[in-house]
Amino acid sequence: MRRLDEHGYQILFIIASILGSITILFLSYALVEDMDLESILIVLIAISSILILVLGGIFYPQEIRTNTTRQVLHAAYHISEVLQNGLTYSNANAICKILLKYADADAVAITNTEAVLGYEGQMASEYPLGTPIHTSATKEVLQTGVTTLFRQIATTGASGTHTIPAGIIGPLIVRDKVIGVVKFYYHNPRKANRTQFALVKGLSNLLSIQLSAEELERQAELTAKAEVKALQAQINPHFLFNTLNTMASLTRTNPMRARTLLREFATFYRQTLENSEALISIEKELEQTRRYLSFEHARFGEDRIIEREYIEPGCEQIQVPAFIIQPIVENAVRHAMRDDGPLHIDIHIATEGNDILISVTDDGLGMDEEAASRLAGEPVSPDSTSEKGTGIAMRNVQERIEHIFGADSGIEIMSRPDEGTSISIRLANAVANKL
């Protein structure tokens, strides 16, 4: 059943008021004369009219609010599907099309602080994308950040000057800064009523919230990328000089192996730089880990580091953030090795429902609970000479996998002094999402 809009409620309210007033006059007359059947009927009519009047006044605002909320929520669902990477010409036009469905407007436009980004509805040809902002009403909202209703405003279109009978302009605000506006145009001034004003205000707030969320997500991505670079800066000098010294020694004792290591070393660093911001397969991440271990085998000896892998069939091509297993293995080599005897490192990758579980376990020196907590989350300066652990590495891995796989993902560290350490990574829904 079609719901009444505000104009329909206003008509109903006026009719009920008139009927109620007339009935009350008749009722007064009947009481003065004599109470008969006719008077009783009049009383009933009066009561009915008054009820209509009262109930209309009670439920009218609530119905309007309910309809407005429903429309905003419907719009939110559809806008979230197209709004990515901030406001652009393509998605702004798509958003205008969505908004036009939910507002009783003849046209909808979205601008940034300088030009029209999207326009849908009547006279769209008059305001092509990129048209500069020139109306005082739009400039006022850009300056004040307050939703505004205007009447009879002149605008300049492609074919000349036009008058828009009415409109409502809402600000788009991100991080307390107005970055644009959303404009609703009405050729019938009566349509620009309080219901439409509330709707436009709700929709502009909705767009502002979603744009702010997009901005926060981009900032999180930039932060994660910056921390990957910081992690590389921390690991590279320490690892670089040791590996170069090892290869320099091998050029005298085993030139062929030195040549092979040099090629692998070049591949290792190229992959590290190229993939630091990408998703790669688990298989490629393990290849990079094996390259790293080949350099440490050359430095310490094959029998000093014994690495074993168990990979559940089908997990090899699951996509993961680059640079999440190799740093954990490097931590084990740098901090868990004893002065003598082998260090065993086991890498286990398997599914648990739709999740992927990756564990790296060693039987090295281990650490106490305080050191494990520090490794998991304490901010550590990216100082390559520090030998107190690489908390930045663990924190970086934690933040990147949470960003990609959600809050149910994470890292767990279990360790005991002189017994070893196990670091487990959970990638939530990695199988279901086929990342």
Side-chain angles (χ1 to χ4, degrees):
M1 184 177 67
R2 178 181 172 84
R3 294 179 179 271
L4 290 174
D5 59 10
E6 182 177 18
H7 186 60
Y9 270 108
Q10 289 173 340
I11 293 173
L12 180 62
F13 191 76
I14 292 170
I15 292 173
S17 299
I18 294 172
L19 288 175
S21 300
I22 293 173
T23 305
I24 290 171
L25 291 174
F26 272 107
L27 177 61
S28 301
Y29 174 78
L31 290 174
V32 170
E33 296 298 326
D34 281 314
M35 181 67 70
D36 53 19
L37 180 60
E38 182 181 357
S39 299
I40 294 174
L41 291 175
I42 293 175
V43 170
L44 292 176
I45 295 172
I47 294 173
S48 301
S49 299
I50 292 170
L51 282 175
I52 291 174
L53 182 64
V54 173
L55 292 176
I58 293 173
F59 291 113
Y60 157 65
Q62 182 63 35
E63 178 72 8
I64 293 298
R65 285 194 293 270
T66 301
N67 281 340
T68 301
T69 302
R70 186 183 298 110
Q71 287 171 304
V72 171
L73 290 175
H74 278 293
Y77 173 77
H78 294 293
I79 290 172
S80 64
E81 296 178 336
V82 300
L83 184 59
Q84 293 180 348
N85 302 319
L87 279 179
T88 64
Y89 284 108
S90 59
N91 64 24
N93 222 47
I95 291 169
C96 287
K97 291 181 180 179
I98 294 170
L99 295 179
L100 194 58
K101 295 179 182 178
Y102 295 99
D104 193 17
D106 297 292
V108 177
I110 290 178
T111 78
N112 56 20
T113 57
E114 298 177 353
V116 175
L117 298 179
Y119 191 106
E120 187 70 20
Q122 293 183 14
M123 300 179 68
S125 60
E126 291 291 318
Y127 305 99
L129 306 187
T131 300
I133 293 172
H134 62 273
T135 61
S136 57
T138 300
K139 291 178 180 178
E140 179 184 343
V141 174
L142 286 170
Q143 184 175 1
T144 63
V146 177
T147 303
T148 300
L149 184 150
F150 66 82
R151 306 278 187 187
Q152 298 295 326
I153 191 167
T155 65
T156 303
S159 63
T161 301
H162 306 276
T163 299
I164 298 177
I168 303 172
I169 305 175
L172 302 178
I173 301 174
V174 175
R175 299 175 70 177
D176 298 325
K177 182 179 179 181
V178 181
I179 65 163
V181 299
V182 55
K183 303 192 283 187
F184 292 73
Y185 294 149
Y186 305 86
H187 286 285
N188 182 350
R190 289 193 306 172
K191 288 185 176 181
N193 51 42
R194 60 177 179 172
T195 302
Q196 288 294 295
F197 188 88
L199 180 61
V200 172
K201 191 171 183 178
L203 290 172
S204 67
N205 287 338
L206 163 68
L207 277 171
S208 297
I209 291 169
Q210 293 191 329
L211 287 168
S212 297
E214 288 291 328
E215 176 69 15
L216 288 174
E217 188 170 348
R218 285 198 298 275
Q219 290 298 322
E221 289 176 356
L222 291 174
T223 300
K225 291 176 182 178
E227 289 197 352
V228 171
K229 298 300 184 184
L231 177 59
Q232 291 171 332
Q234 178 187 22
I235 292 176
N236 289 352
H238 177 89
F239 176 56
L240 174 64
F241 294 121
N242 286 329
T243 305
L244 289 176
N245 287 335
T246 299
M247 289 189 292
S249 299
L250 286 173
T251 56
R252 295 189 298 271
T253 60
N254 192 341
M256 290 300 295
R257 188 176 186 189
R259 183 180 178 184
T260 300
L261 282 177
L262 184 59
R263 285 199 301 266
E264 287 295 297
F265 193 65
T267 302
F268 177 84
Y269 265 93
R270 185 172 64 251
Q271 293 294 324
T272 298
L273 295 173
E274 290 178 354
N275 294 329
S276 62
E277 300 173 1
L279 291 176
I280 62 174
S281 66
I282 287 177
E283 184 177 39
K284 288 188 176 180
E285 177 68 10
L286 289 174
E287 287 176 2
Q288 189 76 336
T289 303
R290 295 183 201 114
R291 285 192 187 96
Y292 162 76
L293 287 172
S294 69
F295 309 136
E296 300 295 33
H297 284 147
R299 178 185 174 194
F300 294 108
E302 297 284 348
D303 59 345
R304 289 280 278 129
I305 305 172
I306 300 172
E307 184 250 1
R308 294 170 296 198
E309 298 175 4
Y310 170 78
I311 315 298
E312 181 180 312
C315 291
E316 297 88 344
Q317 297 306 314
I318 296 293
Q319 300 290 294
V320 299
F323 219 50
I324 63 169
I325 298 177
Q326 187 271 328
I328 296 175
V329 172
E330 181 170 355
N331 279 344
V333 174
R334 289 182 62 184
H335 306 293
M337 285 185 67
R338 294 182 171 85
D339 293 335
D340 54 23
L343 173 70
H344 295 87
I345 300 176
D346 294 335
I347 300 175
H348 189 280
I349 302 175
T351 59
E352 185 178 279
N354 286 325
D355 297 353
I356 290 287
L357 299 181
I358 302 172
S359 66
V360 179
T361 304
D362 67 68
D363 59 357
L365 293 172
M367 66 192 88
D368 58 28
E369 192 171 319
E370 181 181 352
S373 298
R374 187 169 62 249
L375 180 65
E378 180 181 322
V380 178
S381 174
D383 178 4
S384 60
T385 62
S386 173
E387 292 294 332
K388 295 183 179 180
T390 54
I392 190 172
M394 294 299 101
R395 193 174 71 257
N396 177 271
V397 172
Q398 171 80 24
E399 290 177 356
R400 284 191 293 149
I401 64 177
E402 280 189 2
H403 178 69
I404 295 171
F405 296 97
D408 291 335
S409 303
I411 296 177
E412 182 180 2
I413 300 176
M414 300 179 63
S415 186
R416 289 187 179 180
D418 298 321
E419 293 186 18
T421 301
S422 179
I423 298 178
S424 300
I425 302 174
R426 178 180 293 274
L427 306 179
N429 294 312
V431 177
N433 294 331
K434 297 181 180 180
L435 288 174

